[in-house]
């Protein structure tokens, strides 16, 4: 089974910014950052895919609720490299997540679950997380 | 029940340094940083006590194994203040944890469980954790 790093009860609220720093593993096929109210509900699934599921170098974002994935949002900018470190900054506004990628480019993903704070995060294998900051 | 922030599968190995930044809550009686192999085994319990269990402004460290607390180690330096932020740096050497407190003072606590890496951390109420870094 996949080893997943997870954080419970680290509250991430509207108005705050989450910064995740890590290193992509040399053999990474994909990794993911998940933010939500609990393990089985994901408000933001941010999934850089190097080479998996028929995708090459694309970021797939989605929401997982009631046991189902919602509609995907795909971002073609892909400023990640195998074996290299990265920084992802996620600003939580009342209606969306504003994501800043390692090259400084940004995109938004709607806060479909609608809550004003989330307290569960997980980080799926493929990257080694070095630091997490909420400010 | 106490809300506990916990992190699973963020590996902390010999040779690495863990930095925890947070803010002491204004009404904090105590808070704790726990590091170990799992929820029920704690290699390092670092417990600043402002005013609880008959203790005032003291740091209590201990190990929890097989359902029991081991022998306490008490540190009289107490560079923490209610409502103020703090930084705790923990260096993991082969035999002990070298703890650097917010005033730059240090002490050591033996690695009684003897493992060379731990992957579970928890942070007990009384402080709001803002960032965690392993390098």
């Amino acid at each position: 089974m996949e080893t997943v790093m997870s954080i419970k009860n680290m509250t991430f609220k509207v108005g705050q910014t989450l910064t995740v720093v890590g290193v992509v593993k040399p053999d990474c096929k994909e990794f993911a950052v998940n933010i939500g109210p609990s393990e089985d509900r994901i408000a933001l699934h941010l999934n850089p895919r190097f080479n998996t599921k028929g995708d090459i170098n694309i970021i797939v974002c989605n929401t997982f609720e009631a046991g189902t994935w919602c509609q995907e949002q795909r971002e073609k900018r892909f400023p990640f490299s195998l074996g290299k470190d990265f920084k992802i900054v996620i600003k939580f506004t009342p209606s969306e997540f504003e994501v800043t990628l390692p090259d400084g480019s940004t995109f938004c993903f709607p806060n479909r679950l609608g809550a004003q704070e989330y307290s569960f995060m997980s980080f799926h294998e493929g990257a080694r997380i070095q630091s997490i900051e909420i400010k």
Side-chain angles (χ1 to χ4, degrees), chain A:
Chain A
M1 211 191 80
E2 195 192 17
T3 306
V4 175
M5 177 182 149
S6 61
I7 306 186
K8 279 186 189 164
N9 295 313
M10 187 176 195
T11 307
F12 181 37
K13 289 180 195 172
V14 163
Q16 290 185 322
T17 299
L18 168 70
T19 303
V20 179
V21 174
V23 180
V24 178
K25 294 184 182 172
D27 59 349
C28 176
K29 292 194 184 327
E30 61 174 333
F31 72 92
V33 176
N34 295 319
I35 298 168
S38 59
E39 209 158 344
D40 54 355
R41 295 182 70 210
I42 304 170
L44 171 62
H45 169 71
L46 174 66
N47 176 209
R49 296 182 180 175
F50 290 80
N51 186 356
T52 188
K53 297 164 191 156
D55 289 319
I56 291 180
N57 292 354
I58 197 163
I59 301 172
V60 176
C61 292
N62 210 338
T63 303
F64 188 80
E65 195 180 17
T68 328
W69 288 105
C70 305
Q71 197 180 350
E72 284 185 352
Q73 179 178 314
R74 289 170 163 254
E75 299 297 325
K76 287 196 175 140
R77 280 191 219 92
F78 196 80
F80 298 100
S81 304
L82 295 175
K84 294 286 165 61
D85 51 7
F86 65 86
K87 180 161 89 170
I88 297 172
V89 178
I90 303 172
K91 192 174 165 191
F92 192 172
T93 78
S95 60
E96 57 196 8
F97 298 101
E98 290 178 11
V99 179
T100 304
L101 296 174
D103 64 348
S105 65
T106 61
F107 68 88
C108 289
F109 185 80
N111 177 14
R112 293 170 178 160
L113 299 188
Q116 299 301 288
E117 62 176 69
Y118 295 110
S119 64
F120 183 84
M121 277 167 243
S122 65
F123 304 89
H124 289 247
E125 229 178 6
R128 187 166 54 80
I129 303 303
Q130 291 182 315
S131 82
I132 296 143
E133 181 186 69
I134 291 178
K135 267 208 174 150

